[in-house]
Amino acid sequence: MRTDSSPGSLPAREHLPAAAAGPPVLDVVIPVYNEEKDLRRCVLRLHEHLTRTFPYAFRVTVADNASVDATPHVAARLAAELPEVRSVRLEQKGRGRALRTVWSASDAPVLAYMDVDLSTDLNALLPLVAPLISGHSDLAIGSRLARSSRVVRGAKREFISRTYNLILRGSLQARFSDAQCGFKAIRRDVAQVLLPLVEDTGWFFDTEMLVLAERAGCRIHEVPVDWVDDPDSTVHIVKTATEDLKGVWRVGKALATGSLPLDRLARPFGDDPRDRDLTDVPQGLARQLVGFCVVGALSTLFYLLLYSGFRLFTGSQVANALALLVSAVANTAANRRLTFGVRGRGGAVRHQAQGLVVFGIGLALTSGSLAALNAASADPDHSTELAVLIAANLAATVLRFLLFRAWVFPDAPPAAPAPGPGPTGAGSADAGFPDPYRAWSDATVRLQPVRSAGPDATGPATEPATDPRSAR
């Protein structure tokens, strides 16, 4: 897993400008390998659809993954015939490698890709990229698993797809519904920051990108799609599934060890209401309570198992101290990562030391409860001991959460805006945090169609009308 630093912080979202001159707004990449039979038909169909329905300038890029048939010649002829089509040749295979290469070099502000078989209905393309153009979202994916999607495919692929997405949800805590649909888009400014962190060059590329984007705080928009399985697909399902599972293990390990510099990207985009300094509004309290309860339940079970094991060869007080010590270290580590979202190894020793202080308070409560029980009964039953310890641990748990939230893992104070003579651009590296009220303003450049609506219009498009409030 790559651990190199990211190119920069994630930029603030803005409504993307569209002009008659300059780069296209949308660049659709079609990765292909030995697709000489279907390539021309699919590119012509996509080009016709975009010409008829997409109101802004576009480009279709055919990324040839080291094909050994006539695919590069077909792509070259299409590029010669259609000014909106270009062809890129790669000498190595890998869908992820093709997307990384083309997206990294593209000058279009919105980057998309789709499979050459066009299994996804093209009517979903404009809804896919519209939230990226407007600045509402950072990535967009087509979902075949949404309730309103209409999908035609065999039971085998349906089972594999749903199982894979369940694995992602259970292991990587992914919240997006469909990682494998070959119908995705991303803003170029976001891609420039995320792509250096994505290691995979094959089929797992977009899944890894989505997981990292979600962990970095990006907003992912999902579009229900109509999708018909291609019976002639050349994808090797077993091999692809094996590589995907290896990728899940690699990314999960990197996230668990904190080797990815996602903390540098976790800063929201500046228009996130959660980033504002609001009074009397506890930040993330509900989510932290849920996470703490889950970790606490598992820690209590772990503690009881340890206590029962230690109790076989030692007294109750020693068994309680040992079990509480081991479970407290595990509890602090789990709460640090899962409940309070602290990534990396920085401050881990200090957090564990503070956690041991909290452990001492819990030890005093539970040990005092055992002492009181032994004073009341000379030989209490094991079940009675467990009941008393459970009650004492519940009291200690409430106190532990309050101490963790207020002392061990307190919310970081909001950073002050960078000083300067005036407002800076959203993409500036030293722009600082925007004014919380300015984030709500419609500081956008209004989009204007590049082509006239008339069927015989050949003149240049009108200049975009600029909102005076967008000047920075």
Side-chain angles (χ1 to χ4, degrees):
M1 176 60 63
R2 297 167 185 251
T3 58
D4 52 328
S5 60
S6 60
S9 60
L10 291 168
R13 305 186 194 100
E14 290 187 4
H15 205 137
L16 298 175
V25 172
L26 174 66
D27 191 350
V28 183
V29 182
I30 304 179
V32 293
Y33 174 74
N34 291 349
E35 298 287 354
E36 60 179 0
K37 295 181 180 179
D38 299 327
L39 178 58
R40 181 176 182 83
R41 172 180 56 83
C42 292
V43 170
L44 291 177
R45 178 183 164 197
L46 174 60
H47 182 271
E48 185 275 333
H49 176 85
L50 288 170
T51 303
R52 179 170 47 86
T53 65
F54 195 70
Y56 314 113
F58 66 88
R59 179 193 298 133
V60 177
T61 301
V62 180
D64 175 33
N65 279 141
S67 297
V68 294
D69 63 357
T71 296
H73 302 291
V74 176
R77 286 197 300 269
L78 287 167
E81 296 173 13
L82 303 172
E84 294 85 2
V85 177
R86 70 169 179 167
S87 174
V88 176
R89 167 75 177 182
L90 286 84
E91 298 302 330
Q92 292 178 292
K93 294 177 61 176
R95 182 182 67 174
R97 179 178 287 107
L99 294 177
R100 183 201 306 278
T101 301
V102 177
W103 282 357
S104 298
S106 179
D107 54 356
V110 176
L111 311 169
Y113 96 89
M114 61 182 62
D115 295 333
V116 68
D117 56 13
L118 300 186
S119 296
T120 305
D121 184 13
L122 293 178
N123 286 326
L125 182 55
L126 185 55
L128 182 80
V129 301
L132 310 187
I133 294 175
S134 69
H136 174 272
S137 302
D138 312 301
L139 298 91
I141 64 175
S143 176
R144 299 163 297 183
L145 303 180
R147 290 186 177 182
S148 56
S149 298
R150 297 164 183 161
V151 177
V152 178
R153 62 176 167 180
K156 179 180 179 181
R157 298 197 65 166
E158 179 78 11
F159 174 78
I160 293 176
S161 178
R162 291 187 178 275
T163 301
Y164 177 65
N165 284 282
L166 285 176
I167 291 174
L168 291 180
R169 287 175 175 269
S171 59
L172 301 181
Q173 300 178 354
R175 294 190 297 271
F176 47 85
S177 66
D178 191 352
Q180 292 179 309
C181 183
F183 196 71
K184 296 182 176 69
I186 185 173
R187 287 172 63 106
R188 178 169 60 93
D189 49 9
V190 178
Q192 289 174 342
V193 177
L194 287 179
L195 290 182
L197 302 178
V198 181
E199 181 176 337
D200 192 81
T201 59
W203 291 98
F204 187 69
F205 170 86
D206 40 352
T207 298
E208 183 174 355
M209 180 182 67
L210 287 173
V211 171
L212 299 185
E214 195 171 65
R215 292 300 184 95
C218 296
R219 174 177 285 163
I220 301 175
H221 178 72
E222 296 197 21
V223 179
V225 297
D226 297 344
W227 194 86
V228 179
D229 192 9
D230 180 13
D232 298 324
S233 175
T234 58
V235 177
H236 300 286
I237 297 178
V238 176
K239 180 180 178 181
T240 302
T242 302
E243 295 299 321
D244 286 346
L245 292 177
K246 291 180 180 178
V248 169
W249 170 259
R250 174 175 52 81
V251 173
K253 181 180 179 182
L255 292 174
T257 58
S259 61
L260 281 168
L262 290 179
D263 54 328
R264 306 179 189 180
L265 309 181
R267 162 75 186 159
F269 282 73
D271 55 355
D272 192 328
R274 296 171 299 179
D275 189 52
R276 300 175 194 155
D277 187 15
L278 302 177
T279 59
D280 301 326
V281 179
Q283 299 294 316
L285 178 59
R287 182 191 61 79
Q288 290 178 356
L289 275 174
V290 172
F292 185 82
C293 289
V294 172
V295 172
L298 295 176
S299 297
T300 300
L301 178 61
F302 183 48
Y303 161 78
L304 294 176
L305 291 175
L306 288 174
Y307 176 81
S308 298
F310 291 141
R311 191 66 176 85
L312 296 176
F313 54 85
T314 187
S316 61
Q317 291 287 5
V318 175
N320 172 65
L322 290 175
L324 197 59
L325 176 62
V326 175
S327 61
V329 173
N331 180 277
T332 300
N335 276 307
R336 181 177 186 271
R337 176 65 184 88
L338 301 177
T339 303
F340 298 96
V342 180
R343 299 185 177 93
R345 300 177 181 177
V349 176
R350 176 175 58 86
H351 292 155
Q352 284 291 351
Q354 292 173 312
L356 289 177
V357 175
V358 179
F359 151 75
I361 298 175
L363 177 62
L365 283 174
T366 54
S367 297
S369 300
L370 283 176
L373 177 63
N374 290 328
S377 175
D379 188 19
D381 295 336
H382 183 64
S383 59
T384 305
E385 285 185 349
L386 290 180
V388 170
L389 288 175
I390 290 174
N393 266 283
L394 287 176
T397 297
V398 175
L399 183 60
R400 186 183 303 123
F401 176 75
L402 295 176
L403 290 175
F404 272 178
R405 181 173 171 82
W407 179 47
V408 183
F409 307 108
D411 291 334
T424 58
S428 174
D430 56 352
F433 293 178
D435 184 270
Y437 296 101
R438 183 183 178 191
W440 285 103
S441 65
D442 184 20
T444 65
V445 178
R446 297 187 182 275
L447 287 168
Q448 296 292 334
V450 172
R451 291 185 299 277
S452 173
D456 56 351
T458 57
T462 58
E463 292 294 327
T466 305
D467 190 329
R469 292 176 294 175
S470 64
R472 295 191 177 185

